[in-house]
Amino acid sequence: MEELTGEQVVQMHREHVMQPWHKQGGDVTAISKADGIYFWDYAGKRYADMSSLLVCSNLGHELPEIVNAIKTQADRICFMSPAYATEPKSRLAEKLVEVAGADFYQRVFFTNGGADANENAIKMARMVTGRAKILSCYRSYHGATYAASNASGDWRRFAAETGGSLPGFVHFMNANMYENGYTRGVDDAAVTADYLQRLDEQLQYEGPTSVAAIILESVVGANGVILPPKGYLEGIRALCDKYGIMMICDEVMSGFARTGKMFAWQNFDIKPDMFSFAKGVTCGYVPLGGVVVSKAISDYFCDNVLQCGLTYSGHTLACAAGVATMDYYAEHDVCAHVMEMEAILKPYLESMQAKHRCVGEARCIGLFAALTIVKNKETRELMSPYHDAHSVMPTIMGKLMEKGFATFGRESNINVCPPLTITEEQLREELPKLDEVLTWVDENLCD
């Protein structure tokens, strides 16, 4: 087959591909190859992947260990029905339970990705508890399938609510200290007490015995790497215990060493009843997701039928990629490397907050970071109001892309989440590009 030119790839894309979360037929960049923390367009321009694409390419691109595992498995079995046991699926499930903690967790339900992982976690919570309501945060995103969309809090759920939201889904406001006028590290105790009291009150009005689960991101991801105030997740766990509610942590974006722990919830004094995962389990090389469940939930489904299933559950090729990925995390002590890189990234982003009029707050845990961009630092006026149809943020992202600093952001946030394999030299080479664009924002967009 004749290889296409970049122009042909773009034209065919514009005419035939439905682009997610965009109006159709617009500009798009065609990518010809990727390696390590970089990818290249057809003109040969190199981009540093400073968001791990959609925070999934945790180990960078074309890592030989994962690529070779896929090739080897392809010569044996690419796919087997989930009714059968396969070596990759069995090995991966055991590894996931071990890193989560085999003292508390028992089994894994495999899915195709993060959205259907959350979808099935919700199903399981309802089956185990016999309750219907699912509480979730407004500042959240859990996926684009129907229940996952309804559990999501940001505006991307609106299309799924056409004609009304699904029964049983209730949202509550989670804390975003900077946007709420507070200072992280100073006001945590007061904010935690306030937001937990509000949630407890909402539970009373909803009827706590009707609530099956509270689902939330351990660290809010796509909506700006919003770190929970100290004690907040522990307080959620306590409310769940008090009322017999399942706690589900969404680890789709924050899992697999992203925060310096294998799972972000391990940074806190909690153990969720279930947690969902995807993205970093194969670094996006092959789609895969799942739900890790506690021994109590596992025991329930030894006596009751698990009414969940997917044709590709525990997909053989994907699980082989997952085993290789998990081995790499362990053998190369990726969590330790992430913390070494955090020691460079975190102070740099904090210096950007001090230096630039447009940076309201810098947030960083491991290599999971974001900046809040503001028009006015004194008033904390955001650069782009929520769901702004005329946002200037795409212009800012375009400026970064021009410099070869590829990342994404939502609302008024710029996410900085590079591959976990990034070196100190690479990090120091790329971060000044961010500084240059923030200077342009100061001069052209701030009050």
Side-chain angles (χ1 to χ4, degrees):
M1 184 181 296
E2 184 179 354
E3 189 171 345
L4 299 176
T5 66
E7 291 78 8
Q8 288 172 317
V9 172
V10 167
Q11 187 60 30
M12 292 167 73
H13 183 102
R14 284 175 172 169
E15 292 180 1
H16 303 298
V17 175
M18 293 291 285
Q19 184 81 358
W21 310 118
H22 282 79
K23 294 179 181 179
Q24 303 307 303
D27 291 336
V28 64
T29 300
I31 303 303
S32 64
K33 65 176 182 176
D35 183 63
I37 73 159
Y38 305 107
F39 56 86
W40 288 260
D41 63 22
Y42 276 76
K45 181 175 179 178
R46 190 187 78 174
Y47 302 86
D49 182 5
M50 296 304 287
S51 65
S52 303
L53 297 183
L54 296 175
V55 196
C56 55
S57 300
N58 283 14
L59 299 179
H61 303 281
E62 297 301 303
L63 186 75
E65 288 85 345
I66 304 176
V67 172
N68 291 335
I70 293 170
K71 290 178 178 179
T72 300
Q73 187 61 44
D75 285 334
R76 295 176 180 171
I77 310 171
C78 283
F79 168 66
M80 183 51 59
S81 164
Y84 300 99
T86 63
E87 181 178 338
K89 180 167 58 176
S90 296
R91 284 188 180 277
L92 181 56
E94 182 181 56
K95 289 177 183 293
L96 288 164
V97 168
E98 285 177 352
V99 296
D103 60 323
F104 187 81
Y105 297 100
Q106 179 71 47
R107 284 186 167 88
V108 181
F109 179 77
F110 286 108
T111 66
N112 301 318
D116 50 347
N118 288 322
E119 195 95 11
N120 283 282
I122 289 167
K123 285 184 184 179
M124 284 189 271
R126 285 173 162 172
M127 282 185 274
V128 172
T129 64
R131 302 174 181 180
K133 290 183 180 178
I134 305 295
L135 265 67
S136 57
C137 306
Y138 275 111
R139 297 181 177 110
S140 73
Y141 182 69
H142 296 293
T145 54
Y146 214 34
S149 280
N150 274 263
S152 297
D154 71 31
W155 58 264
R156 288 175 288 178
R157 78 182 193 277
F158 292 166
E161 292 180 340
T162 301
S165 57
L166 283 179
F169 286 86
V170 179
H171 292 94
F172 64 95
M173 189 61 76
N174 49 330
N176 183 343
M177 293 187 67
Y178 177 79
E179 292 187 21
N180 295 151
Y182 297 102
T183 301
R184 188 173 306 282
V186 176
D187 302 314
D188 291 62
V191 171
T192 292
D194 182 26
Y195 275 81
L196 290 176
Q197 188 278 328
R198 293 189 205 182
L199 178 56
D200 197 356
E201 183 178 31
Q202 188 170 356
L203 285 167
Q204 301 311 312
Y205 278 95
E206 290 293 336
T209 58
S210 70
V211 178
I214 296 176
I215 181 171
L216 73 169
E217 295 164 277
S218 307
V219 175
V220 173
N223 281 271
V225 189
I226 304 171
L227 304 175
K230 187 176 181 180
Y232 181 71
L233 290 183
E234 290 83 354
I236 297 283
R237 176 72 268 182
L239 286 174
C240 288
D241 291 340
K242 180 179 179 180
Y243 297 120
I245 297 169
M246 295 284 176
M247 183 180 189
I248 304 171
C249 282
D250 181 339
E251 290 275 335
V252 171
M253 189 173 280
S254 61
F256 299 102
R258 175 58 56 184
T259 65
K261 301 284 188 181
M262 277 304 290
F263 301 108
W265 62 262
Q266 293 172 328
N267 289 282
F268 310 98
D269 188 19
I270 62 167
K271 289 184 179 178
D273 299 285
M274 293 180 265
F275 64 92
S276 58
F277 65 88
K279 294 184 184 286
V281 69
T282 65
C283 299
Y285 287 36
V286 185
L288 183 67
V291 186
V292 179
V293 305
S294 69
K295 288 185 176 182
I297 294 172
S298 175
D299 288 346
Y300 176 87
F301 287 113
C302 287
D303 298 322
N304 298 272
V305 174
L306 174 62
Q307 298 178 50
C308 300
L310 303 92
T311 298
Y312 301 119
S313 178
H315 191 282
T316 317
L317 196 64
C319 286
V323 170
T325 303
M326 294 294 290
D327 286 345
Y328 192 95
Y329 286 128
E331 292 168 7
H332 292 80
D333 200 358
V334 173
C335 285
H337 178 72
V338 167
M339 297 313 296
E340 291 173 6
M341 295 303 100
E342 182 200 63
I344 299 168
L345 178 61
K346 187 175 181 179
Y348 189 91
L349 295 180
E350 289 172 347
S351 75
M352 294 297 95
Q353 178 181 339
K355 176 180 179 179
H356 292 286
R357 290 189 295 146
C358 67
V359 180
E361 185 183 44
R363 298 175 295 281
C364 181
I365 179 171
L367 287 175
F368 203 27
L371 301 174
T372 295
I373 307 302
V374 295
K375 287 189 70 174
N376 187 304
K377 205 164 186 174
E378 292 186 4
T379 64
R380 301 194 183 189
E381 180 186 355
L382 299 177
M383 184 61 68
S384 176
Y386 178 72
H387 200 199
D388 182 8
H390 306 289
S391 173
V392 299
M393 291 303 293
T395 300
I396 297 172
M397 295 300 171
K399 293 286 184 182
L400 288 166
M401 193 71 171
E402 288 173 9
K403 293 184 178 294
F405 188 106
T407 189
F408 74 97
R410 299 201 57 73
E411 311 306 335
S412 290
N413 299 302
I414 297 175
N415 286 19
V416 183
C417 312
L420 309 183
T421 52
I422 196 169
T423 65
E424 178 177 352
E425 181 182 15
Q426 291 169 332
L427 198 54
R428 294 193 186 282
E429 179 184 3
E430 297 304 323
L431 288 175
K433 299 174 184 178
L434 177 63
D435 187 13
E436 292 171 15
V437 172
L438 293 174
T439 298
W440 179 88
V441 176
D442 285 344
E443 296 170 350
N444 293 275
L445 299 176
C446 286
D447 291 341

